[in-house]
Amino acid sequence: MTVRIGVIGTGNIGSDHIRRLTRVCTGAQVTAVTDIDPARAAEVGSEYGARALATGAEVIRDAEVDAVLVASWGPTHADYVLEAIAEGKPVFCEKPLATTAEDCLRIVDAELAHGSRLVQVGFMRRYDAGYRALKQAVDAGRIGTPLIAHCAHRNPSVPESYTSEMAVQDTAVHEIDVMRWLLDDEIISVQVLTPRRTGRAFEHLQDPQIVLFETANGVRIDLEVFVNCRFGYDIRCQVVGEDGAASLPQPAQVPLLVEGREQQDVLQDWRDRFVQAYDREIQEWVDSVAAKTVGGPSAWDGYAATVITDAGVEALASGAIVPVSIKDRPAFYGADL
Ligand code: NAD
Ligand code: ISE
């Protein structure tokens, strides 16, 4: 079976997903696209043989669309996801699921009323081979009970439109999801420390930040978010347990011996760092839609992430340790995070 997909938002990641759905994945065809910039939708649509429609609603209701992929700006996600659920169509939504916890819960309620999983959220790190290997080591008890985790999320630079709050909402959100999943443990508080600022960022931006999380089982996670680090896109994670420590393996790079030095390039772009994870994430989503067994990061994970990022934004403003208050997880979403 070929799953016919409609894509809403043909910007950076939307067009990249259209490329992988068309040229990398099997069993998928992008049949319709849309963007509030119609010229952009028309250009991407014609490149990949998809019709460019005027609105997201038209894409969702289109008879030749079996499933929807939402890759527009965050504040627009909730309405599109709710419309897809109302049509009974599976929907893959890039993070964030919604920008408010209330909207996330409306989505959860709509999915519960539908009675089976329709929503998957684009937390692609769960599909990264390195994170999977790290989780396997932790789950197998190789380092004993986890006690502490040290993480770093570094981008070479960000545009001027990037705000201090986005360090948590847009960037740390990936660690929030992946650490919940990796430790199978819920985050219960957040604090944000503000070190000396780099002189290489904009006046309005607090960069770097150190985000501290505590989990229900008492694990402490420290995360450096440094989005103007200059040197590259660099993701680190080490879990320290009672009997040892396990680290996220770095993607293979060719070590060079040149000009009297041993060197290795540092990746510059998140697309390159996680390309295989995105490919696997989207292929597994397509397969799950075909098999009518949507899985992966759920609407509940999207809701939890938004509650935690809200607490992070409050913590940045106040400097205090802010408790996270997530509602009880419905049995519908299973026991594992
Ligand atoms: P972008 O600005 O490059 O693309 C977004 C596109 O959506 C733009 O072309 C814009 O015109 C369009 N758009 C905005 N509102 C719309 C609406 N109401 N209807 C239809 N189209 C609309 O942004 P991006 O970097 O591609 O990010 C898109 C989303 O993907 C964001 O939510 C972002 O957080 C997420 N994202 C996720 C990852 C990841 O690693 N999983 C990486 C990058 C971006
Ligand atoms: C961006 O929106 C992403 O989602 C990338 O994966 C992340 O690394 C980057 O920091 C975000 O700005």
Side-chain angles (χ1 to χ4, degrees), residues 21-89:
L21 281 163
T22 310
R23 301 198 175 140
V24 181
C25 294
T26 56
Q29 183 193 358
V30 179
T31 49
V33 299
T34 192
D35 197 288
I36 42 156
D37 177 351
R40 174 128 189 94
E43 188 190 326
V44 176
S46 83
E47 187 176 351
Y48 293 98
R51 286 168 300 135
L53 303 184
T55 65
E58 282 175 54
V59 167
I60 293 166
R61 290 186 202 133
D62 193 86
E64 289 175 25
V65 166
D66 304 314
V68 179
L69 188 150
V70 178
S72 47
W73 295 324
T76 69
H77 291 182
D79 285 346
Y80 289 137
V81 172
L82 285 165
E83 281 181 62
I85 295 173
E87 287 295 309
K89 293 188 180 177

Side-chain angles (χ1 to χ4, degrees), residues 176 180 185-190 213-215 221 308 324 326:
I176 288 171
R180 294 173 66 248
D185 197 358
E186 194 53 271
I187 289 172
I188 59 162
S189 78
V190 191
F213 302 100
E214 183 182 4
T215 72
I221 303 166
I308 297 164
V324 169
I326 296 174

